[in-house]
């Protein structure tokens, strides 16, 4: 073997070994691959659906062309058809995937198509109603924030509106028992905004989020009307020691109407209820129910203010 | 009617109904649409402006081609012209939008052009000065963080620098009374970094943000020189009950020179001042003014450490 | 000079002045530009590497085409070659950059190539092992979260998995002394997820992050096996007054095996150790070591619940 | 001056000299540049208009999504609006450009808008009629070519249909006195197909082109119904010595109904008429009128067939 | 009705009328639309198949990454799988389309899948053999053209090689009775090169095209080995009066081995045979058979050379 | 082996066989692959160079942004740098490729860099002069064509100008002995316009092409000033029997000043000279020299005009 050939042969060997080892690793860690499967929905297309729904719900804000009263019907019609078809495709994939996960046979795949079409159309039919609900959310966000210059600004660039919009879409699909898609959608909003709302949570009207980064709203939360929450608020589970054993149980708090929760407050537990019209102060830590019409802050929370000692280093 | 035709006719009806309902919903919720308007600035183009400004401010870091001393003038000249034109277009849109929002008549639209051109050129002229200010920010960030390997690393991948850069650009447009654009810019940075700085805030030189996610700096904050803040810090309003009634009032704290605020600290209120050279400890909750040259932590903050009880389940 | 010519001449002057001033500003602030340099790695390509590695590690999840047992070897082979070449290019840039930063002469550039190739191949060879470690992380994430429907959902849309995946890749390059790239990678994940893990941190197996936004894990953290942490947790330095003087010292806590840390807890200091099997409660602030097998919460942390006073305004 | 600096200074000088020389050359050759002008239409957008018109005229052939009877109205409506707006923009640019070329003052620019809008709407209104005419062209193409498998194949991939379609669109704009755009359109088709039809030519119904490459149809041609021509046919001017002096005169032949012209035939001259139902043979060269109902070939056109001589070389 | 509303109402009416008329026109001209159909193959994807086949046949010429002996198997494997899947999809569409055109019922659609898969695999299996044939074409092109610098130049930029490559691919699919696709492919090459070879033509080995523009080779041509043809050559039908009645009959000439045909020659008719080793001169017009081993030129073809008369005009 | 596994195993086998056969075919046909080579220039980038040169030569015609006198220097500077770098890269590749083809050793690769840089700079320096020459071509094209509305139209959409522009660029590189690139450039123009000018041809000033499709101008053509040629004209070699043996000899005609050649004329042979101010008629076939100041047409070229016989079929 000449010297010239040797390194190439070595590189070829290196490559072949690595390919073989990786493919072997795919076979041994079956939870880490999705080979031979046709059912997984497509994350990128699911995000595209959300972006098209955003244009349908807020016409004229995110479009590249100008929409006028004269042409809006054509625009909406075309967009609806595209969104409907994209959504049907992904709902169908998700339904087949769900069936497969539950170990059901392939024979009922025709049924998948029907169920997916029903879910898709039921969702689409809800859009006008969802717009009404979102209009209230936008109004509440504007009314509650002196820094907001107009509802246009809210729609255009408030992460709170972005997260609520995506949650309301995803929650509707969640109620229609569509697997995976709702979570992909809310995690997309989580990525964009830092606001993590589980699609299973129940949230009333005129919901308002300010700043938002670091908010967590768990799967079994139940939130009333006119609720306002700030950045860093957690509405979470008390403990997750049980892991999957807790599945399906109520693990997250109930927040009644007209409650305000300031930044960094942590409210935990499935039997915790924050009563109507109560205000939770910033950074409060709560694992018990709170009566209505109260304000809550930390007791004994005094500041320790000391003069600075002379720093030696630096 | 044959069986074959029926489903199609149904689908057509479904589509027509939905289009009609959505269009009707657009008409009834006028705050949720922007039909027939020509004035809304374009979010995507505004983001493009920020990206081009980033290349102008940090030449050689984010360019795809190699920039050398020989060609830098041409590169900068071309980039400046493009940025200027893009910015003028969006500032003009924003100015017209603002005029329209204030109910002023269209007749003064020529004036819009002049005002927009003046604002654009005033902004562009500030760029060399803004670079100087940012150079101080970068230096302060490097000096204050032992984990940072070089100022290149800071510029290249620190979300703090990204957020401060965007704030400094947006603040300049804010001072020039350009509507909407500054907020679109800072919310873009908020999305990318989790750091939410209102473009109206006033921030001194050598500002340093570490880690950053979850930081909120409100509209009427006033921050001195050499201030350093960590992730999760809120410089917010004490209460927002008043909502839009509070508009224009000072609602956020004043932070004097040389203050350091550790992670998770919450400082609220328009009459709250943190005195010069004071250090605020992590997770401290403050709604009152703090004297200079002190360190602040929570009093009575003892840990309750208990041996674990035998867990029965799991 | 005619009136027509005047404004144009002015605009030309404006442009020339601005270009001259900006170029002058580049020369005076040398830390803010990278002109005449060939060594800086490319941020966009580094992100592309991470995305390709994601496809190699989780085949079938993020691909646009269907991967089957029949074609997986070709797919992996092709992807490996592309990833290898892209990575080598960026590692080489980074190595040259590092050499340049250390003031070493150009003469040893050949050595750069060899070192870069060795690092690239060493990294690639680790991929099957890294997949095993990540499979444990995925499994732990699923087991610990009742809201998670399947490991597919975890891989598909959990920011925790995204951040851990990126950290594990970046940490491997960090151990191989590749400059800049590891930090670009983890800051990319930080941007996407709000989870900030320094590539220098040491993290054991079966690591689980829930929700995640606002988590900070510092450079010299040392985390054991089976550790679970929630949103907003900081594992940070006690003080960074020393700035660059602290470089290389242990500044961040040690977390032993089987520890759980709930949301918003802040644990600081290089000599702080959280003992084995201990549970840290939400929002706890710790700057001291904690024994094994304990649960920690804040003492004296009572709520102050007051009935609401009649609000006058609003 | 050190050796290191010299080449760079040289390169800088080289660059500056070249930029200065090129800019000087722009100033001296004013016909070769379009600086300071706002009026030139955009070639790329004009091509985009043609592509959208193709989708409007042949729905379902070139669309990426599936068009059905249910959604076709929305699709057409949306596409019409987009095409209308794009076309108006380019027609307006072209109208202003034409006005400027004719040396007319800017004051009448408002009139430009009106004229452009009228032309655009007049064009759009013609579309259904143009579809009828094109349907006849397609049918004639199919009927006349045994190699064509279906009218679908003709529409899908016959360069003849492509060129006729583009001509018919461009001719309509030509009749509306829109400058530049019609020629940009037909030259685009010329590029794609090798068929060069001047938009000013007059062409009757059921026009059929076979193969097509190399066909030239001049500006003042007048072609009747049911005419069929083959590749390489020229319908041109007898001499162009006069150049621009000939502008506006009839320089190209008249072809009456039911004429067939075989491949490579050249027919020249503004007073040349090919009478009704006549057939022109391949490669015939004609500069005179030809009576109706005749067949024309070259006289004295015998082949000289010689046995091959022994070749010495090769 | 106010003046302000009137134009808008008019525009709306204009739009609605036009949409209605166009949709009506779709319904009346059924040959001009493809609504409600799922079967039409996709032109863009068919072109993509040709481009991928080009990379498979000429590895290393048109790839963006570097292909080496070490990685070529992975590269080819991945590309083969992608090409196979794309081709199967389009062949399937084309097969269904063909079945539909023939009026066959949908019930046999399963059969479509099988037939499409067989055709796809039969085609793919032919690729190594097709490469051999193309290698001969490339060699013949190089040998015959003193202006060609290397076979690399031939492969890289000779339109003749481009057209022959595409013909050879399309002809193989034609032999497998795949509808539409072969013609889409050769018309794509026709667009690119001006060389129009019908996929049904039969062409022997070592085929060489020089310059090429304007060449037409008809459906029933039969061309032997070692044939060379120049730009503007037509191998066509004598008359197409019969139109579709001629379908399936031999309408184009037979060219035997070792024939050379110079530029602009026109050879017509299904019973015309050019005998072995004969040379046809430029611009010769032939409608009869020619014996072997002869050279053919036009007889009586003398030039008329006249001194120029004094030009008066110009 | 179960039935389920069988088809998959078969498909895997099919794939593996095909990959193996194709790779084997790569090894046996070495002229048909470019594996393991680093030297081949990139066709796509070469086309990009031509497009950038077009923008440099005709500023304001093909740019997406508006170029004004104020910013033209920056624009040109930036574009020049990009074009220079792209061109250097491809010239360097081509030089290395050429060296490799000539069997020269790798040791001289440094020399390649110098030679490539010299060629690149020599080319760039020629741009202002090439603009002057092209300005004459544009003017001649406008003057000679009554159908041309303005020089803008010529530049914007005349394939003749496109082909001449590309030829003039390519010819300059040809004179600098750059391999491959010139031919890639002219074949790109050939594709776009159907005009095939070999980069080695010599062409004087004020060259004018009308319509253009099907024009062939061979490698050793020598064309004077003020020459005008029409579509389908061939300036070719008399015979190419000798193939590669003819390399480097004069094989194509000489065309003296002020000659006009009408459509379809074929002029062949290296010793053929068309004398000054002569006019060659359409479709004339010439293989001998022609004196100056004459007009040439075919003698004995009478038309045979016969009344049509009654057609029976059709």
């Amino acid at each position: 073997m000449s010297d010239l050939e040797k390194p190439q042969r070595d590189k070829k060997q290196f490559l072949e070994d690595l390919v073989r080892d990786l493919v072997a690793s795919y076979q041994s860690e079956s939870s880490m691959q999705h080979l031979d499967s046709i059912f997984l929905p497509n994350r990128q297309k699911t995000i595209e659906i959300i972006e098209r729904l955003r244009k349908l719900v807020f016409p004229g804000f995110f479009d590249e062309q100008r929409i006028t009263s004269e042409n809006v019907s054509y625009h909406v019609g075309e967009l609806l058809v595209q969104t409907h078809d994209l959504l049907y495709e992904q709902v169908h994939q998700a339904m087949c995937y769900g069936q497969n996960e539950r170990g059901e046979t392939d024979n009922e795949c025709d049924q998948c198509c029907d169920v997916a079409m029903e879910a898709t159309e039921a969702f689409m039919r809800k859009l006008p109603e969802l717009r009404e609900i979102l209009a209230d959310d936008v109004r509440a966000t504007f009314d509650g924030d002196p820094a907001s210059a107009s509802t246009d600004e809210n729609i255009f660039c408030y992460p709170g509106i972005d997260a609520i919009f995506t949650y309301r879409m995803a929650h509707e699909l969640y109620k229609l028992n569509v697997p995976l898609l709702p979570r992909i959608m809310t995690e997309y909003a989580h990525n964009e905004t830092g606001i993590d709302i589980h699609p299973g949570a129940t949230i009333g009207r005129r919901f308002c989020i300010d700043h938002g980064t670091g908010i967590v709203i768990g799967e079994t939360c139940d939130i009333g009307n006119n609720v306002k929450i700030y950045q860093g608020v957690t509405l979470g589970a008390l403990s997750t020691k049980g892991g999957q054993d807790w599945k399906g149980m109520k693990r997250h708090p109930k927040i009644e109407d007209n409650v305000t929760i300031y930044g960094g407050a942590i409210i935990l537990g499935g039997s915790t209820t924050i009563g109507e019209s109560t205000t939770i102060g910033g950074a409060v830590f709560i694992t018990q129910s709170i009566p209505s019409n109260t304000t809550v802050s930390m007791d004994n929370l005094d500041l320790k203010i000391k003069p600075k000692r002379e720093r030696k280093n630096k």
Side-chain angles (χ1 to χ4, degrees), chain A residues 97-300:
Chain A
Y97 168 84
Q99 197 189 47
N100 194 263
E101 285 288 289
R102 291 189 305 273
E104 291 168 28
T105 66
D106 273 343
N107 298 359
E108 299 172 86
C109 193
D110 286 348
Q111 195 192 322
C112 258
C113 293
D114 293 350
V115 173
M117 187 51 84
E118 269 168 47
T120 303
E121 301 210 339
F123 174 83
M124 297 303 281
R125 242 189 296 265
K126 274 279 195 167
L127 281 177
E129 188 188 326
L130 286 167
R131 282 195 82 246
E132 268 180 58
I133 296 173
L134 279 158
D136 283 359
D137 296 327
V138 168
R139 173 56 52 185
T141 299
F142 174 72
D143 287 344
D145 179 11
S148 109
S150 65
T151 54
D152 290 344
E153 196 185 79
N154 300 144
I155 292 171
F156 227 43
C157 53
Y158 267 50
I161 293 300
D162 185 357
I164 295 170
F165 159 76
T166 307
Y167 156 76
R168 296 226 183 268
M169 298 295 131
H171 182 59
E172 215 56 41
L173 290 171
Y174 179 92
K175 288 196 291 184
L176 292 161
N177 296 314
V178 180
L180 262 180
L181 297 195
R183 193 69 190 269
I184 294 175
M185 288 175 172
T186 55
E187 286 298 340
Y188 169 58
H190 186 187
N191 262 18
E192 294 295 304
T193 66
I195 300 169
D196 175 1
I197 311 179
H198 194 285
T202 306
I203 301 180
R205 295 184 79 135
R206 287 176 299 288
F207 186 53
C208 167
I209 288 177
D210 206 353
H211 303 300
T213 310
I215 286 176
V216 172
I217 298 177
E219 184 179 16
T220 61
C221 272
D222 184 359
I223 298 179
N225 297 322
N226 299 314
V227 169
K228 180 172 184 184
I229 64 177
Y230 284 79
Q231 71 277 10
V233 163
T234 294
L235 307 179
L238 196 47
S239 154
T240 56
K241 279 276 153 50
Q244 288 283 332
D245 297 341
W246 278 87
K247 181 154 246 156
M249 299 189 194
K250 174 133 182 65
R251 307 180 307 275
H252 307 97
K254 175 178 177 63
I255 312 294
E256 294 186 346
D257 293 355
N258 306 314
V259 167
T260 297
I261 308 174
Y262 281 102
I266 296 180
I267 303 174
L268 306 177
S271 57
T272 302
T273 295
I274 307 300
E276 200 185 332
S277 299
T278 279
T279 297
I280 308 295
V284 168
F285 186 87
I286 292 175
T287 58
Q288 59 182 90
S289 289
I290 303 290
S292 299
N293 276 298
T294 56
T295 65
V296 182
S297 57
M298 298 310 279
D299 205 10
N300 299 321

Side-chain angles (χ1 to χ4, degrees), chain A residues 73-87:
Chain A
S73 293
Y74 302 115
H75 177 70
V76 163
E78 176 80 340
L79 201 47
L80 260 185
V81 171
Q82 291 168 350
T83 312
H84 176 280
D85 291 1
L86 261 175
L87 183 60

